[in-house]
Amino acid sequence: MRKIIVLLVTFIWATNLMAQEESVTLKWWNPESSEVPVISGQAWSEELPSIYHRLPARAEENVRDAVWNLSKQAAGLSIRFWTNSETIEVKYAVSGGVSFPHMPATGKSGLDLYSKSYDGDWQRSWGKYSIGSESNYKFVIDEDSQKYHQYGREYQLFLPLYNEVTQLEIGVGEDAIFKILPLKNEKPIVAYGTSICQGACASRPGMAWTNILERKLERPVLNLGFSGNGKMEPEIIDLLTEIDAKLYILDCLPNLSPENDDVYQLTLDAVHQLKEKRPNTPIILTEHVGYADATTNMKNHVHVKSLNEQYEKAFLKLKSEGISGIFLLEKEDLGLGYDSFVDIIHPNDLGMLEYADAYEKLIREVLNEPLGNLSTTIPMSQSRDIAVYNWVERHQRILEMNQEKAPEILIFGNSIVNFWGGEPAIKNVNGPTSWKELFEPLGVRNYGYGWDRIENVLWRVYHDELDGFEAKQIVLMIGTNNIHLNSHEEILEGLENLIQAIQDRQAKSEILMVGLLPRRGMEAEIASLNLKISQMVYLANVEYKDLGKGLLKVDGTLNENLFSDGLHPNEEGYRIIGEELLPELKK
């Protein structure tokens, strides 16, 4: 009897669940209906024969047929959007077979959906799926956060690694928010390589090393891996020179042969070709990772050793020519062992993680984007203040404005700066008159983001907000949002690290560190912390200014008449600190 009851309860539960799923009414969006490019991971979005391809239509005349056909596959492509839907469904079609003997359908032809927490952490979404020539994924977002239901969060949908997508639609609840996020303005990392680069044999798209790397660095990674056909050909290198990249990766050795290919000359020619057009863009040359059976198959061991020796010889020759900005990722640094492979050459998910880790380590060295050991020294994005503004969109707008007109003076900060006024404009401002009168004539740009902490400003510095121009002066007003989370020592180390990151990118700019403004109930603690900050920045050869004294009463407590909430100044409070800051900006 008990078994019958259990079965009956299970049947009722399953029936109710199916009824709930079936009752969800969805609204559908097709990327092909968009008037602007929406597929991330492409360099020629205006020239593609299909929005899901990777090479421009004109390339068909110049590249080999095998390369052209592989370029139709969606490796590395993704779609970023914002929603609060409890159900996210994707229906799509692919043109080829859904799986390989050594690669599952979920990797070759499947999808992966990731989202970002409000503190900037990646999280994977899980769903039911059916993969065939016509496929479907259904993700049920079991989220009890009222913030999510009201405002939603950012998602990134990674497309199939080894199949051509012919059509795709995304469905969300008919009453849900759904907003496509703009393509990122950061310069991309461009990876040119073999089947390993394309994604073989990851179990799902999110586990291809280029997609892992994109999430680690939070920077676009363009996947130009062509299975069996990454051969460092000049026709492809020529296309690479058209991309204003942050960094190039050449990872083609597994498709080359020491007997049939002049790896030494191919490498010299490729680097010369890239450096002629993009002399300041770093290039990583990746050695052959080796074969899983290298310890038992001497022929394969010798094959790999010969390829890598030719590569190293070319690398040293290029260095002797005085070519700068080239780096060698050695086989030992990739670190794959025999358990890292599906077969003798293609990585499994463990191997893909090891690839991504090795690339991240070297790229952070090359781009000078180190990860510290404290939360204040680890760059993070965020969207904590989504009720007021969109952090991601503000960052992209800053990058656009820098291209349109570079700022001479800028102020990094949190909501205290964000709410002051100026450009980029926001809806809620507390001190627009003082900003307009004091700072607008100087062309000061507002780099304040609500709820930012030190690590969030570090992320923005790493993500190009100071690239491509020389500022006269950079003002820092950041750290108050770290007080409840970090010790004084952690805040000081974070600020020191941030200042160094700014100096690395803006060596000629004068940096002014503003002490933390007083806040209700924390006047004494902030005064103590500011004393330590003033000593730290003196040693860092940076100017310091304390603007908070004019916001206090004679007894040292907060003058509430100058604040809107005990933290953010009102118009009168902003004018007081603005008039004290102005002489420093006019120097």
Side-chain angles (χ1 to χ4, degrees):
M1 177 62 70
R2 185 177 178 182
K3 288 183 179 180
I4 294 173
I5 293 173
V6 170
L7 288 171
L8 181 60
V9 170
T10 303
F11 174 77
I12 293 171
W13 174 82
T15 303
N16 288 337
L17 182 62
M18 290 174 62
Q20 290 173 13
E21 291 182 356
E22 290 173 359
S23 68
V24 176
T25 302
L26 303 180
K27 58 184 177 183
W28 293 91
W29 173 81
N30 189 325
E32 295 186 72
S33 67
S34 176
E35 296 181 358
V36 296
V38 293
I39 308 295
S40 300
Q42 297 168 326
W44 300 275
S45 55
E46 302 289 352
E47 299 184 64
L48 299 169
S50 162
I51 65 170
Y52 304 111
H53 290 182
R54 292 182 289 156
L55 290 182
R58 55 186 162 84
E60 185 175 8
E61 299 180 359
N62 300 319
V63 303
R64 292 181 295 109
D65 288 345
V67 173
W68 177 251
N69 290 331
L70 287 162
S71 76
K72 299 175 183 178
Q73 297 175 350
L77 304 188
S78 64
I79 301 172
R80 298 170 56 246
F81 58 90
W82 192 282
T83 189
N84 64 346
S85 183
E86 295 181 356
T87 298
I88 301 172
E89 189 168 347
V90 186
K91 54 185 181 182
Y92 64 105
V94 294
S95 64
V98 298
S99 65
F100 288 136
H102 62 331
M103 187 173 183
T106 49
K108 183 178 188 292
S109 307
L111 304 174
D112 248 334
L113 185 65
Y114 287 78
S115 66
K116 297 291 292 297
S117 75
Y118 299 113
D119 287 320
D121 296 307
W122 284 104
Q123 44 201 18
R124 185 184 169 207
S125 300
W126 302 82
K128 299 178 180 179
Y129 56 85
S130 172
I131 301 176
S133 57
E134 295 184 359
S135 303
N136 177 277
Y137 271 72
K138 179 177 287 187
F139 304 92
V140 177
I141 312 302
D142 186 12
E143 177 67 67
D144 60 3
S145 162
Q146 182 58 38
K147 189 173 184 179
Y148 177 78
H149 291 300
Q150 187 170 359
Y151 301 110
R153 64 171 175 256
E154 175 185 350
Y155 287 87
Q156 187 164 3
L157 179 71
F158 290 97
L159 302 188
L161 297 171
Y162 260 84
N163 223 322
E164 179 183 5
V165 175
T166 56
Q167 63 183 57
L168 182 145
E169 288 183 276
I170 299 174
V172 298
E174 61 179 346
D175 296 324
I177 297 167
F178 183 78
K179 184 177 183 180
I180 288 296
L181 293 175
L183 299 183
K184 292 183 177 181
N185 292 304
E186 291 99 321
K187 290 184 178 182
I189 292 168
V190 179
Y192 171 40
T194 68
S195 55
I196 300 171
C197 180
Q198 185 170 338
C201 288
S203 66
R204 50 189 176 84
M207 293 307 295
W209 71 255
T210 55
N211 290 338
I212 299 172
L213 185 65
E214 177 163 329
R215 295 195 303 277
K216 283 174 170 287
L217 299 176
E218 292 196 75
R219 179 179 293 279
V221 177
L222 307 191
N223 185 322
L224 292 179
F226 303 109
S227 184
N229 288 276
K231 295 178 176 291
M232 261 193 292
E233 295 165 301
E235 295 83 4
I236 299 297
I237 300 296
D238 189 52
L239 287 168
L240 264 59
T241 66
E242 298 178 8
I243 306 171
D244 187 11
K246 190 76 172 180
L247 177 145
Y248 294 112
I249 294 171
L250 299 183
D251 191 354
C252 294
L253 289 198
N255 284 164
L256 297 174
S257 163
E259 295 82 23
N260 302 321
D261 300 298
D262 189 341
V263 175
Y264 174 78
Q265 193 61 49
L266 280 171
T267 306
L268 295 181
D269 291 345
V271 172
H272 288 150
Q273 194 174 350
L274 285 170
K275 284 293 183 179
E276 182 181 359
K277 294 284 185 68
R278 304 287 180 181
N280 299 319
T281 305
I283 302 171
I284 290 178
L285 303 173
T286 307
E287 288 191 347
H288 195 307
V289 69
Y291 294 99
D293 66 347
T295 57
T296 57
N297 187 330
M298 186 53 61
K299 181 179 179 181
N300 279 348
H301 173 77
V302 171
H303 175 93
V304 171
K305 186 172 183 292
S306 178
L307 282 170
N308 287 341
E309 285 176 348
Q310 290 190 48
Y311 217 38
E312 292 171 12
K313 180 182 175 183
F315 174 74
L316 293 174
K317 176 65 166 64
L318 291 163
K319 297 289 283 187
S320 73
E321 294 174 4
I323 295 178
S324 61
I326 54 171
F327 304 86
L328 188 67
L329 180 57
E330 298 183 58
K331 173 181 179 293
E332 290 72 22
D333 294 328
L334 288 164
L336 275 69
Y338 54 79
D339 281 335
S340 304
F341 294 88
V342 170
D343 47 26
I344 64 168
I345 183 59
H346 296 105
N348 55 25
D349 288 356
L350 171 62
M352 289 291 181
L353 281 167
E354 291 168 331
Y355 253 93
D357 287 344
Y359 274 117
E360 182 192 16
K361 180 180 179 181
L362 180 55
I363 288 171
R364 288 197 177 279
E365 293 175 7
V366 172
L367 300 183
N368 198 8
E369 297 180 0
L371 289 177
N373 297 316
L374 302 174
S375 64
T376 54
T377 61
I378 299 173
M380 291 292 290
S381 58
Q382 60 100 352
S383 54
R384 290 181 283 268
D385 209 13
I386 189 59
V388 178
Y389 79 107
N390 189 301
W391 194 94
V392 175
E393 291 181 358
R394 184 170 179 83
H395 169 63
Q396 296 303 321
R397 180 59 186 143
I398 288 281
L399 297 183
E400 289 174 358
M401 292 180 69
N402 290 350
Q403 291 291 325
E404 295 163 2
K405 184 179 180 180
E408 293 188 354
I409 303 173
L410 56 95
I411 305 179
F412 276 112
N414 46 49
S415 56
I416 295 172
V417 175
N418 189 208
F419 291 171
W420 200 334
E423 295 291 336
I426 62 168
K427 294 179 181 179
N428 301 331
V429 288
N430 294 343
T433 303
S434 60
W435 184 288
K436 183 178 179 64
E437 293 177 1
L438 301 175
F439 298 158
E440 195 170 291
L442 300 178
V444 179
R445 185 157 297 163
N446 188 324
Y447 273 46
Y449 290 47
W451 269 111
D452 255 16
R453 300 172 185 151
I454 295 166
E455 57 267 29
N456 304 130
V457 176
L458 180 65
W459 187 99
R460 298 197 274 124
V461 170
Y462 283 2
H463 285 74
D464 303 1
E465 287 195 5
L466 293 179
D467 288 7
F469 65 94
E470 290 184 358
K472 290 182 179 179
Q473 191 173 43
I474 297 171
V475 181
L476 281 175
M477 294 180 64
I478 192 68
T480 195
N481 289 327
N482 291 90
I483 290 176
H484 295 96
L485 299 169
N486 301 104
S487 67
H488 287 193
E489 290 69 27
E490 290 171 337
I491 290 172
L492 290 169
E493 188 167 337
L495 288 173
E496 186 175 14
N497 180 71
L498 174 59
I499 288 170
Q500 183 61 58
I502 293 172
Q503 289 174 329
D504 290 340
R505 290 156 178 80
Q506 292 279 342
K508 297 181 180 179
S509 299
E510 177 188 322
I511 300 175
L512 173 64
M513 181 76 221
V514 174
L516 275 60
L517 298 185
R519 54 192 295 178
R520 182 187 297 145
M522 304 183 71
E523 296 90 341
E525 180 180 354
I526 287 177
S528 172
L529 178 56
N530 279 344
L531 178 60
K532 298 173 184 176
I533 291 173
S534 68
Q535 295 169 342
M536 180 272 292
V537 299
Y538 175 80
L539 295 174
N541 197 29
V542 168
E543 296 292 323
Y544 176 80
K545 184 73 175 179
D546 190 344
L547 303 178
K549 294 178 181 178
L551 303 176
L552 298 172
K553 295 190 292 188
V554 176
D555 64 0
T557 60
L558 201 71
N559 185 344
E560 297 282 356
N561 293 327
L562 302 177
F563 286 81
S564 62
D565 56 6
L567 172 63
H568 301 93
N570 57 24
E571 182 69 74
E572 186 179 356
Y574 275 120
R575 181 167 291 278
I576 289 172
I577 63 175
E579 288 179 348
E580 197 169 348
L581 178 60
L582 186 62
E584 302 295 330
L585 305 184
K586 283 186 172 182
K587 283 182 180 180

